[in-house]
Amino acid sequence: ELQTLTGVTIYPNPVIDKITVTPKDKGRLHFILYDINGSCLIDKIIDQESQFDMKTFASGVYTIIVWTDKQKIYRSTIIKQ
């Protein structure tokens, strides 16, 4: 689970309109969302709970990359309905 590894919670999965990203600790996270073709759709640095609008994105599988302050990189997927 991404939450266990990184201290970040990303929900809901699957998503319909918005995803919520909540860092567990007081560090900054670099959050990147890619579509199936590798196009970067969201690229944000966050330090508190944030919501990202996915209403206009097509249904499918998306890749999430999370970088922590300690330069650790984690990867997960999310499904857009």
Side-chain angles (χ1 to χ4, degrees), residues 5 8 10 14 17 19-20 22-23 26 34 38 40-41 46 51-52 59 64-65 69-73 75 81:
L5 295 175
V8 63
I10 300 171
D17 57 357
I19 57 171
T20 301
T22 307
K26 292 271 185 201
Y34 293 98
C40 180
L41 304 175
I46 63 169
Q51 287 191 334
F52 299 103
S59 297
I64 295 170
I65 305 291
D69 277 344
K70 296 177 182 167
Q71 299 300 312
K72 292 185 179 178
I73 304 171
R75 180 177 178 210
Q81 291 185 331

Side-chain angles (χ1 to χ4, degrees), residues 9-68:
T9 304
I10 300 171
Y11 63 91
N13 191 9
V15 61
I16 295 173
D17 57 357
K18 290 184 181 181
I19 57 171
T20 301
V21 181
T22 307
K24 182 180 115 181
D25 297 321
K26 292 271 185 201
R28 293 185 330 164
L29 294 176
H30 189 173
F31 175 83
I32 307 171
L33 180 78
Y34 293 98
D35 67 12
I36 193 88
N37 298 315
S39 297
C40 180
L41 304 175
I42 299 172
D43 187 346
K44 298 286 182 182
I45 294 177
I46 63 169
D47 60 3
Q48 61 186 357
E49 182 173 284
S50 302
Q51 287 191 334
F52 299 103
D53 189 0
M54 292 186 66
K55 278 187 269 191
T56 60
F57 298 165
S59 297
V61 177
Y62 292 82
T63 300
I64 295 170
I65 305 291
V66 176
W67 293 61
T68 68

